[in-house]
Amino acid sequence: MRALAILTLMMSLSGCLSLSLLPRDHDPVLAGAYVNTRLEINNLKCDARGESFVQISWASALYHSKFMKEYTAFRKDPQTENAEGISANLQKALDAKNEKMCNHWIKLTQSRMSALEEAWRGR
């Protein structure tokens, strides 16, 4: 009886360890946040930031990036820091004094988005 209890305990502990090493499950909310943010970033134009129709795209991109940032933090996702950087870079692009700096921050944001895509691709 004692040997059976020890064997059961060993199997359950090794099972817990192996479960923590498996990749995370697919999260449709994270996938949707990523796709929405990616689509909005692709529509951003630094040369027309002051025009009203372009401001809607910027506001939407910022909203989706902030949603992704908050949701990754809530889920304790390993890519939380990257999502925070995306949101911060978009805000810096919007606040940039000139078009060249705006484009610089957009390129950095796109690089971070590519890193997220690589990290989340298998989920």
Side-chain angles (χ1 to χ4, degrees):
M1 184 69 158
R2 188 176 199 178
L4 182 61
I6 291 173
L7 182 61
T8 304
L9 181 63
M10 285 177 43
M11 289 179 72
S12 66
L13 289 176
S14 67
C16 291
L17 177 63
S18 64
L19 288 177
S20 67
L21 299 176
L22 294 174
R24 289 180 172 242
D25 291 336
H26 171 71
D27 187 338
V29 176
L30 274 180
Y34 170 81
V35 170
N36 289 333
T37 305
R38 171 65 84 184
L39 290 172
E40 292 298 336
I41 288 171
N42 289 341
N43 289 330
L44 296 179
K45 302 204 180 336
C46 289
D47 58 344
R49 287 178 286 167
E51 297 177 23
S52 60
F53 69 92
V54 175
Q55 288 178 349
I56 293 170
S57 292
W58 279 93
S60 184
L62 284 168
Y63 170 79
H64 288 295
S65 70
K66 287 178 182 178
F67 176 86
M68 188 168 56
K69 175 184 84 168
E70 294 298 323
Y71 191 75
T72 55
F74 172 74
R75 294 272 302 181
K76 296 183 175 129
D77 192 274
Q79 293 294 317
T80 299
E81 186 177 330
N82 203 7
E84 290 170 352
I86 289 168
S87 185
N89 287 351
L90 281 177
Q91 187 63 54
K92 289 175 184 178
L94 181 61
D95 295 340
K97 300 288 185 212
N98 59 48
E99 186 179 335
K100 184 177 179 181
M101 284 307 298
C102 175
N103 285 323
H104 168 74
W105 288 113
I106 293 293
K107 285 180 184 177
L108 286 175
T109 301
Q110 290 171 338
S111 295
R112 284 184 176 268
M113 290 295 290
S114 294
L116 272 183
E117 181 180 347
E118 288 297 317
W120 289 348
R121 182 175 301 248
R123 292 190 196 176

